[in-house]
Amino acid sequence: MQETFRKEERLKKKNLISELFASGRSATVFPLKMIYLEYDHLSPFKIQAGVSVSKRNFKNAVERNRIKRLMREAYRKNKSLIYNDADTKKHIIMFIYQAKEEISFELMDRKMNQLIRKFLTKQKPHSV
């Protein structure tokens, strides 16, 4: 699988984002929080994802944009975990950065991997 994050994979529609925040479920691995919702969107990809960094915690736009770049890169490198899982249905996802200070890319990558694995375990049907 190609490790890309194309335009069609990005979550940008305001109505989808508001529906996601209204009725989505969440998973957290500090400093990342994932809000997700099973949604049959029109994109040919399984997942449409977006990233967000609080303006309250990072007043400087340069810092916010750098963290968003790191988050997108970490997602791009780890999204094969989702696509290789046959059980995963179409979802919309928003990744939110919650810390008040920037972390290294290595730590961001590790936390993103843990968060995606946590998401996949929550998606598994529970056997009785």
Side-chain angles (χ1 to χ4, degrees):
M1 153 167 213
Q2 279 191 326
E3 289 185 343
T4 58
F5 190 40
R6 299 181 188 277
K7 186 177 180 180
E8 301 84 30
E9 292 179 81
R10 297 182 188 229
L11 180 61
K12 292 189 265 182
K13 294 190 175 180
K14 284 190 179 198
N15 60 342
L16 286 183
I17 294 171
S18 59
E19 187 169 342
L20 173 65
F21 280 101
S23 55
R25 297 176 61 202
S26 69
T28 304
V29 174
F30 191 80
L32 300 175
K33 180 177 184 176
M34 169 196 277
I35 299 177
Y36 59 94
L37 179 66
E38 188 176 322
Y39 192 88
D40 193 22
H41 49 78
L42 300 175
S43 174
F45 297 95
K46 272 187 184 180
I47 303 292
Q48 277 196 325
V51 296
S52 177
V53 179
S54 171
K55 197 173 188 179
R56 181 185 300 158
N57 294 339
F58 294 93
K59 307 253 185 275
N60 191 346
V62 173
E63 293 174 3
R64 276 196 314 275
N65 292 338
R66 175 173 168 70
I67 293 170
K68 288 192 279 188
R69 273 198 313 275
L70 293 176
M71 288 171 66
R72 281 192 296 264
E73 180 69 5
Y75 170 70
R76 182 186 72 80
K77 292 181 73 63
N78 289 296
K79 74 176 187 173
S80 60
L81 296 170
I82 297 172
Y83 284 87
N84 292 339
D85 185 4
D87 296 336
T88 308
K89 296 175 175 57
K90 284 190 167 190
H91 282 79
I92 52 177
I93 295 176
M94 180 66 75
F95 294 100
I96 301 169
Y97 189 79
Q98 297 182 307
K100 294 188 184 331
E101 65 282 329
E102 189 176 332
I103 60 174
S104 68
F105 175 71
E106 291 76 24
L107 185 57
M108 177 84 71
D109 191 45
R110 199 172 29 213
K111 296 293 186 174
M112 183 67 74
N113 189 304
Q114 291 172 1
L115 185 59
I116 290 174
R117 288 182 189 281
K118 190 172 185 179
F119 163 72
L120 291 174
T121 56
K122 284 186 168 191
Q123 294 307 304
K124 297 279 185 220
H126 300 290
S127 58
V128 177

